[in-house]
């Protein structure tokens, strides 16, 4: 959160040198702007992510394995708004000067690294979940507990990335108590790679594969629908199905003329299709009755529902990836540059700006992953008692 000199090691939280924004006893324009912006950001993050958690907890239709990732992401953003953002805003109001204890600074650094990493890892886990749901929908349905294991792994890995800070990594000789930052340059590089530069390409690759899978699904579905469309022959050819006699099959002769009496109407004869001599390869007439077109994967209703949901998610895919990259790429590029090039001058205002931008992503996540979803919109209206 602080940077006392141009050769400072840098950190994952906004780093600036002591640059008091207030003059005299009053609060300067920069400090006032940081206070107002911080309060607004914390309020939006708390309101949006709390609404997500309440909606999933109260609405049974939203309690699906996919939405568990949404709740995990919302929990990470909520903890960030409660445990990290208030102290970050306090330091911003003070112009980047850390006036609290160094031990509290280390705790803040560790929570910041863990929660930011957990937020990014949850985004990556959502991409994994959608990829599996599109490529192997039946196995996705049969392995509902895999989502919970993936969420647990997300938080464990995030805690492992942040653990060195709590183990005394920041306790270095000559540490400036007025600056709160990550003191080890190698750890900044390590945490940046683990938190962003590895999961981000993986997420993009999985979304790209998901998009291709959805396109293939669309093409296969279109082909199957056309192949099942009824065609009336214009010339000699195999017999077509007659609704009064039941469907014909290539290997089955026509039904026998034997009649039986319907129990509901004794005067109406019915064809006894069950007495038709049919080869073992033929399907039973009841099974061969016209059915809704099935999906290429298996034809089951559950796979159709999952694929349909992922098909809708494809509409907001550019928004999801674009907002994520817009918020986090400048942040990590600036901080890893400061760590790899200590002699390079990076403006403290730039460091502060990219840090604010990264935290804004926590406020955008509820909008991106829920407001664009029709089910969440309906539950939001009901929760907030909105008339429309």
């Amino acid at each position: 959160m602080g940077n006392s000199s141009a050769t400072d090691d840098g950190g994952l939280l906004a780093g600036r040198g002591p640059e008091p924004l207030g003059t005299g006893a009053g609060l300067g324009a920069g400090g006032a702007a940081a206070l107002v912006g911080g309060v607004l950001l914390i309020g939006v993050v708390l309101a949006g992510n709390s609404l997500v958690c309440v909606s999933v907890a109260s609405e049974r239709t939203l309690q699906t394995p996919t939405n568990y990732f949404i709740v995990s992401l919302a929990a990470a953003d909520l903890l960030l708004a409660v445990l990290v953002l208030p102290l970050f805003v306090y330091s911003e109001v003070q112009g980047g000067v850390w006036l609290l204890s160094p031990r509290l600074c280390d705790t803040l650094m560790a929570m910041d690294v863990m929660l930011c990493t957990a937020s990014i890892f949850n985004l990556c886990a959502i991409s994994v979940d959608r990829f599996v749901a599109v490529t192997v929908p039946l196995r996705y349905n049969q392995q509902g507990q895999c989502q919970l294991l993936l969420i647990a792994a997300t938080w464990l890995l995030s805690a492992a990335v942040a653990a060195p800070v709590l183990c005394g990594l920041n306790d270095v000789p000559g540490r400036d108590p007025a600056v709160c930052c990550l003191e080890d340059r190698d750890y900044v590089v390590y945490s940046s790679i683990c938190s962003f530069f590895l999961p981000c390409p993986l997420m993009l690759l999985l979304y790209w594969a998901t998009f291709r899978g959805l396109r293939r699904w669309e093409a296969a579905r279109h082909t199957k629908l056309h192949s099942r469309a009824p065609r009336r022959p214009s010339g000699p050819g195999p017999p077509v199905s007659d609704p009064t006699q039941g469907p014909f099959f290539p290997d089955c002769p026509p039904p026998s003329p034997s009649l039986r009496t319907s129990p509901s109407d004794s005067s109406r004869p019915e064809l006894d299709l069950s007495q038709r001599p049919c080869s073992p390869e033929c399907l039973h007439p009841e099974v061969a009755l016209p059915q809704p077109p099935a999906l290429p994967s298996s034809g089951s209703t559950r796979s159709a529902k999952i694929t349909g949901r992922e098909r809708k998610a494809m509409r907001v895919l550019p928004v999801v990836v674009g907002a994520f990259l817009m918020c986090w790429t400048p942040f990590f590029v600036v901080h890893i540059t400061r760590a790899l090039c200590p002699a390079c001058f990076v403006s403290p205002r730039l460091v502060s700006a990219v840090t604010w931008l990264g935290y804004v992503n926590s406020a955008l996540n509820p909008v991106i992953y829920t407001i664009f979803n029709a089910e969440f919109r309906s539950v939001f209206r009901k929760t907030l008692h909105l008339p429309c």
Side-chain angles (χ1 to χ4, degrees):
M1 190 181 300
N3 185 7
S4 57
S5 66
T7 59
D8 183 71
D9 290 332
L12 287 180
L13 206 58
R16 318 202 295 275
E19 183 185 336
L21 299 175
T23 57
L27 189 64
L35 180 61
V36 174
V39 171
L40 288 177
L41 178 60
I42 293 173
V44 172
V45 173
L46 288 176
N49 290 282
S50 297
L51 186 59
V52 171
C53 297
V54 170
S55 299
V56 175
S58 60
E59 190 67 24
R60 199 169 190 85
T61 58
L62 295 180
Q63 296 174 4
T64 62
T66 301
N67 287 339
Y68 295 158
F69 291 99
I70 304 296
V71 174
S72 178
L73 176 62
D77 293 331
L78 281 174
L79 291 175
L80 187 74
V82 172
L83 302 177
V84 174
L85 286 181
L87 292 175
F88 166 72
V89 173
Y90 170 78
S91 178
E92 290 286 289
V93 171
Q94 299 297 327
V97 181
W98 184 254
L99 303 178
L100 305 176
S101 68
R103 181 57 59 186
L104 182 59
C105 170
D106 295 345
T107 304
L108 175 63
M109 290 290 103
M111 289 188 302
D112 179 62
V113 172
M114 187 186 75
L115 294 177
C116 289
T117 304
S119 182
I120 297 173
F121 280 5
N122 274 290
L123 295 176
C124 192
I126 292 173
S127 67
V128 174
D129 177 73
R130 290 180 176 178
F131 172 76
V132 174
V134 170
T135 55
V136 281
L138 283 183
R139 188 173 299 178
Y140 174 88
N141 276 314
Q142 296 169 359
Q143 298 179 358
Q145 293 184 347
C146 289
Q147 286 83 1
L148 298 179
L149 294 177
L150 186 56
I151 291 173
T154 294
W155 285 93
L156 288 176
L157 289 174
S158 302
V161 173
V165 182
L166 291 177
C167 295
L169 185 71
N170 265 7
D171 294 335
V172 296
R175 177 180 180 180
D176 186 358
V179 177
C180 184
C181 68
L182 295 172
E183 302 290 342
D184 190 280
R185 184 181 298 112
D186 294 334
Y187 177 76
V188 173
V189 176
Y190 158 77
S191 58
S192 298
I193 292 176
C194 294
S195 300
F196 181 81
F197 291 105
L198 283 182
C200 182
L202 175 62
M203 183 179 65
L204 292 176
L205 179 63
L206 289 173
Y207 274 133
W208 174 77
T210 301
F211 180 79
R212 288 195 60 187
L214 288 172
R215 293 295 297 271
R216 285 197 300 266
W217 180 88
E218 287 282 353
R221 179 175 177 270
H222 186 268
T223 302
K224 196 157 190 174
L225 286 175
H226 278 273
S227 65
R228 291 194 173 200
R231 300 175 182 174
R232 185 178 298 277
S234 57
V240 296
S241 175
D242 190 341
T244 61
Q245 296 181 352
F248 281 85
F249 300 89
D251 300 328
C252 298
S256 60
S258 59
L259 302 176
R260 61 181 177 88
T261 303
S262 171
S264 58
D265 188 356
S266 58
S267 63
R268 179 184 300 173
E270 288 187 352
L271 289 174
D272 189 1
L273 298 180
S274 62
Q275 297 181 6
R276 176 173 54 180
C278 187
S279 62
E281 293 80 5
C282 293
L283 297 175
H284 193 276
E286 293 179 357
V287 180
L289 290 177
Q291 299 290 336
L295 292 177
S297 56
S298 65
S300 71
T301 305
R302 297 185 66 184
S303 65
K305 288 182 179 179
I306 285 185
T307 310
R309 185 168 64 247
E310 298 304 325
R311 184 184 174 189
K312 294 179 181 179
M314 185 177 61
R315 300 174 185 174
V316 299
L317 190 58
V319 181
V320 172
V321 177
F324 173 79
L325 294 178
M326 180 187 68
C327 291
W328 285 113
T329 301
F331 176 88
F332 283 98
V333 168
V334 167
H335 282 274
I336 201 170
T337 300
R338 295 171 68 215
L340 294 176
C341 182
C344 299
F345 173 76
V346 179
S347 170
R349 293 185 181 275
L350 176 61
V351 176
S352 179
V354 296
T355 305
W356 279 99
L357 185 61
Y359 288 143
V360 166
N361 184 252
S362 296
L364 294 179
N365 285 333
V367 177
I368 297 172
Y369 286 95
T370 59
I371 298 301
F372 288 99
N373 186 299
E375 294 178 352
F376 272 99
R377 282 201 305 269
S378 176
V379 176
F380 284 173
R381 294 191 186 103
K382 184 167 63 174
T383 303
L384 298 175
H385 304 288
L386 297 178
C388 58

